[in-house]
Amino acid sequence: RLDVAPVRQAVLPPIKGSMLRGAFGVHLKQLACVHPDQQDCRSCGMRHGCAYACVFEPYIEIDPPQFLRGLDAAPRPFIFYCSDRRETFTPDSSFEFDFTLVGTACEWYRETIVAILKMVQAGLSVRRHPFKVQGIRVLMSPEADLKDGELEWQVIYDGKSMRSAPLEPVPLPLQLELPSPVRLDFVTPLRVKINGQLASRITFRQLTFQMLRRILELAHFYAPDQSINWEFNHLLKAADVIRVVDQQFEWVDWERHSNRQETDMQMGGMQGYMTLEGDLEPWRELIHAAHWLHIGKGTVFGLGRMEIGP
């Protein structure tokens, strides 16, 4: 979690994930790439030892399982998320954003932190507003499952010096139980395709499938030491028993500029909530994992963020 403040007045977009992801890719490539003029990492013999190729341009090296066939690239193992929608910042104001690395990509945390420091200092948005990093905190491994949503963070950078001790990956924080009823709030646009079309509403069964797909994709590519159970039809069928006692969704349009494609892209999705009632214990770990790892398309931008509440 980074706390950054502008050097002088700055104007940023309300949804900042695309801006952060784009600047991150530029500076990570400058930092790590030994062939910066080469456009396609797939043909580079150094890609397996390159932070940029492994984190930002991950390719599928072997045939994936049937469930994941059709993917043209592995999902990117990182997420930028910023809940602050303010657009104007002065030197006496700041904002925070989270950066998450997943699984084996955690070994590149040093390179990614340096790239983020450089991108913030070089300037954010198309106007290149320079910022300064006032602090960096990392989520600590909980001694036990979390209660009451409590999290422990440790400062590794205070704006002047960086902690030298190595960082270790932490397991996903999981609460002991879900409240019933439980409300799932989609606080950033959720982009999922159902029957080939972007959906404007979603059932709990469809949501279960999207959560499973996200977790299984990341586990397959970035948790090679884990045993993956691909049999989940029983969970989909059981989802029909869970009662949706309240729900409200609306379509939210969002536009981002793609430097690679040199065009503005529509990235709208549904936002809203659903309230569930029933025995949700079989979904407890899945729902908490989806909260941290997001779901749907555009997760690297922070889309598909799901908050859990009573």
Side-chain angles (χ1 to χ4, degrees), residues 122-138:
L124 299 176
S125 87
V126 293
R127 299 178 180 87
R128 297 294 183 266
H129 297 298
F131 279 68
K132 56 185 177 182
V133 177
Q134 299 185 140
I136 303 176
R137 292 177 289 159
V138 295

Side-chain angles (χ1 to χ4, degrees), residues 155-185:
V155 175
I156 64 166
Y157 180 67
D158 60 7
K160 297 179 181 178
S161 60
M162 183 78 69
R163 166 183 160 179
S164 58
L167 301 179
E168 297 294 334
V170 300
L172 288 172
L174 300 175
Q175 290 180 321
L176 290 176
E177 60 184 23
L178 290 171
S180 183
V182 63
R183 173 166 157 160
L184 305 180
D185 279 282

Side-chain angles (χ1 to χ4, degrees), residues 139-152 170-178 281 284-286 288-289 292:
L139 186 63
M140 302 301 293
S141 179
E143 295 294 330
D145 287 343
L146 293 176
K147 296 181 180 180
D148 301 324
E150 295 179 359
L151 297 174
E152 182 182 357
V170 300
L172 288 172
L174 300 175
Q175 290 180 321
L176 290 176
E177 60 184 23
L178 290 171
E281 177 58 25
R284 178 175 62 88
E285 293 189 0
L286 183 64
H288 283 293
W292 287 100

Side-chain angles (χ1 to χ4, degrees), residues 1-308:
R1 176 165 292 170
L2 292 94
D3 180 19
V4 301
V7 174
R8 51 184 176 271
Q9 182 166 316
V11 177
L12 302 179
I15 298 181
K16 300 171 180 60
S18 176
M19 170 193 72
L20 295 170
R21 176 262 195 187
F24 171 68
V26 170
H27 287 276
L28 185 61
K29 187 166 188 176
Q30 291 176 355
L31 178 70
C33 184
V34 296
H35 300 298
D37 296 329
Q38 184 170 310
Q39 296 298 314
D40 188 1
C41 294
R42 195 189 304 269
S43 60
C44 179
M46 303 290 287
R47 70 180 185 276
H48 298 298
C50 173
Y52 176 79
C54 292
V55 173
F56 205 84
E57 295 285 358
Y59 290 105
I60 297 177
E61 303 290 345
I62 58 176
D63 288 338
Q66 182 66 37
F67 177 65
L68 302 179
R69 296 278 168 85
L71 295 177
D72 55 356
R76 289 185 173 94
F78 68 89
I79 301 163
F80 280 101
Y81 173 66
C82 178
S83 61
D84 196 325
R85 299 295 181 91
R86 290 177 298 163
E87 298 183 47
T88 302
F89 296 88
T90 58
D92 60 350
S93 64
S94 65
F95 74 94
E96 291 183 335
F97 65 88
D98 292 351
F99 176 73
T100 303
L101 280 172
V102 179
T104 52
C106 291
E107 67 181 89
W108 303 107
Y109 77 86
R110 294 180 180 87
E111 290 84 351
T112 58
I113 289 177
V114 172
I116 292 173
L117 288 171
K118 288 182 176 296
M119 82 178 193
V120 169
Q121 294 165 358
L124 299 176
S125 87
V126 293
R127 299 178 180 87
R128 297 294 183 266
H129 297 298
F131 279 68
K132 56 185 177 182
V133 177
Q134 299 185 140
I136 303 176
R137 292 177 289 159
V138 295
L139 186 63
M140 302 301 293
S141 179
E143 295 294 330
D145 287 343
L146 293 176
K147 296 181 180 180
D148 301 324
E150 295 179 359
L151 297 174
E152 182 182 357
W153 296 82
Q154 184 178 52
V155 175
I156 64 166
Y157 180 67
D158 60 7
K160 297 179 181 178
S161 60
M162 183 78 69
R163 166 183 160 179
S164 58
L167 301 179
E168 297 294 334
V170 300
L172 288 172
L174 300 175
Q175 290 180 321
L176 290 176
E177 60 184 23
L178 290 171
S180 183
V182 63
R183 173 166 157 160
L184 305 180
D185 279 282
F186 300 89
V187 296
T188 57
L190 173 62
R191 292 171 54 83
V192 296
K193 281 191 173 183
I194 298 175
N195 297 325
Q197 301 292 325
L198 283 172
S200 58
R201 296 183 69 82
I202 194 168
T203 66
F204 183 58
R205 179 173 180 149
Q206 292 166 339
L207 177 62
T208 296
F209 177 79
Q210 294 298 328
M211 292 189 293
L212 285 165
R213 181 183 181 103
R214 171 68 168 162
I215 305 308
L216 290 174
E217 282 182 357
L218 291 174
H220 174 73
F221 291 107
Y222 302 109
D225 59 334
Q226 299 296 306
S227 176
I228 302 176
N229 182 3
W230 298 96
E231 298 298 325
F232 52 79
N233 282 335
H234 66 286
L235 202 58
L236 294 177
K237 292 179 181 178
D240 292 332
V241 179
I242 300 299
R243 296 181 297 279
V244 179
V245 296
D246 187 23
Q247 62 178 321
Q248 180 176 326
F249 291 100
E250 62 179 0
W251 187 263
V252 177
D253 284 316
W254 174 55
E255 186 176 86
R256 61 174 287 262
H257 182 76
S258 172
N259 290 325
R260 177 173 295 186
Q261 300 184 38
E262 298 183 345
T263 186
D264 292 330
M265 302 179 65
Q266 295 297 321
M267 296 291 289
M270 56 178 158
Q271 278 187 234
Y273 66 88
M274 64 167 50
T275 303
L276 308 171
E277 193 172 67
D279 180 12
L280 288 162
E281 177 58 25
W283 290 268
R284 178 175 62 88
E285 293 189 0
L286 183 64
I287 288 174
H288 283 293
H291 158 71
W292 287 100
L293 299 174
H294 300 214
I295 57 174
K297 297 179 179 296
T299 53
V300 292
F301 308 134
L303 302 189
R305 172 77 168 197
M306 185 176 71
E307 300 285 355
I308 307 165

